[in-house]
Each structure stands twice: as C-alpha cells, then as structure tokens.
C-alpha cells in the first residue's frame, strides 16, 4: 500500500503538458566593423558577446523572447603619413571600442513536424555602456612613439 501512494503521484505528474518556458546563457565571438566613406584600412574588432536568454512558448507555434546581452563592438583604423615621395614617415593606429548592454525583444513562429523551422522578428534597444578610443603612433621603423586613450566619448 505504501508503494501505491508513492507511484500514483509520479504517474499523474508524467501526464502534464511540456515545458513552455526556457531560460539559458548565450555567448560567443562577435565580429564588428564600420563602413566609413573613403577609408580603406578598417579592420574588424573580434570581441565577446554574451548574456542571458529567456523564451516563453504561448502554444505550439507562437513564442516570445527577451534577452539581456553584453556586446563589444568597434573597429580599427590605420592611417599612414607619407612624405612627397611616398615614404611612410609615421603610422597612427586607432582602436574604437564600444561596449553595449542590449535587450532584444522578439516574437517567433514555429512550423513543421518532420522538418522543424522557426522565424523570429523583434527589436533590440541597446544602451552604450563604455566607449574608448585608443591611439598609438609608430615611426618609420615600427617603434611606438606615442599613445593616447580617450574614454566615454559621446
């Protein structure tokens, strides 16, 4: 009789609907760049992107999701100063680093039985957390001659 009282709640508990809320951690590498007119020496900034994610399934097809993400964006620009003959006298390296806190809000639609797919549409408000511009100057021999850093430029 004692075993019957233990097994009945387990059997009843197995006959419930599936999970409809999902929470997790997300992260990875983010490559970002900027498209500035007449600039040819821009390089990507590869940095961290990650945070928390939450999805709620209203039913089998419709979902709502919200994330809290920390995103590091930016780019690098090399500027060369030459004399009249084209000899590089000085090189300036600029690193533009922008860190954001983003809150993507999305609505999704799931479809398919044998082959499953989904579509998400949403907005992503982002708030600038920190901005840093680093400048390094090198002479013609590649020796660093100067360095500056400017923080929280707006």
């Amino acid at each position: 009789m004692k075993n019957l009282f233990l097994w009945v709640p387990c059997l009843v508990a197995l006959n419930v609907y599936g999970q409809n809320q999902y929470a997790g951690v997300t992260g990875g590498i983010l490559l970002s760049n900027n498209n500035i007119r007449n600039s040819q020496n821009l390089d990507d900034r590869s940095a961290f992107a990650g945070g928390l994610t939450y999805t709620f399934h209203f039913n089998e097809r419709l979902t709502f999701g919200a994330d809290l993400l920390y995103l590091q964006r930016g780019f690098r620009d090399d500027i060369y100063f030459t004399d009249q003959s084209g000899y590089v006298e000085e090189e300036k390296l600029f690193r533009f680093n922008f860190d954001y806190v983003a809150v993507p809000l999305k609505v999704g639609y799931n479809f398919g039985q044998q082959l499953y797919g989904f579509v998400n549409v949403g907005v992503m408000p982002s708030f600038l957390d920190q901005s840093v511009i680093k400048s390094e100057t090198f002479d013609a021999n590649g020796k660093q001659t100067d360095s500056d850093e400017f923080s929280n430029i707006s």
Side-chain angles (χ1 to χ4, degrees):
M1 191 69 157
K2 181 179 175 183
N3 287 339
L4 181 63
F5 286 116
L6 292 175
W7 280 101
V8 169
C10 291
L11 294 174
V12 172
L14 294 176
N15 194 21
V16 296
Y17 294 102
Q19 185 174 356
N20 62 357
Q21 296 187 53
Y22 300 92
V25 177
T26 184
I29 301 295
L30 175 69
L31 294 176
S32 66
N33 203 336
N34 200 339
N35 188 8
I36 299 176
R37 205 178 304 177
N38 299 328
S39 185
Q40 301 168 353
N41 299 320
L42 297 181
D43 292 326
D44 295 339
R45 178 185 183 200
S46 57
F48 172 76
L52 304 173
T53 183
Y54 172 79
T55 304
F56 179 78
H57 287 257
F58 287 106
N59 56 37
E60 187 176 301
R61 300 277 183 220
L62 190 61
T63 63
F64 169 77
D67 299 342
L68 179 62
L69 303 175
Y70 182 74
L71 308 172
Q72 294 180 319
R73 298 178 180 248
F75 60 97
R76 190 178 106 168
D77 192 7
D78 296 328
I79 299 175
Y80 300 96
F81 297 95
T82 60
D83 60 13
Q84 291 182 355
S85 64
Y87 178 74
V88 176
E89 292 180 338
E90 186 177 70
E91 174 188 5
K92 269 201 172 286
L93 169 65
F94 292 95
R95 287 190 174 96
F96 297 85
N97 298 334
F98 306 105
D99 299 343
Y100 292 91
V101 174
V103 185
L105 305 171
K106 56 194 178 254
V107 175
Y109 182 77
N110 305 320
F111 54 90
Q113 295 295 331
Q114 306 291 357
L115 184 62
Y116 179 78
F118 63 93
V119 175
N120 285 328
V121 176
V123 296
M124 187 170 83
S126 299
F127 307 96
L128 183 63
D129 179 49
Q130 181 180 19
S131 62
V132 176
I133 298 173
K134 296 178 183 178
S135 167
E136 298 174 3
T137 304
F138 300 92
D139 64 12
N141 298 324
K143 182 180 177 191
Q144 185 173 350
T145 58
D146 191 20
S147 177
D148 291 314
E149 184 173 310
F150 307 96
S151 295
N152 295 324
I153 308 300
S154 53

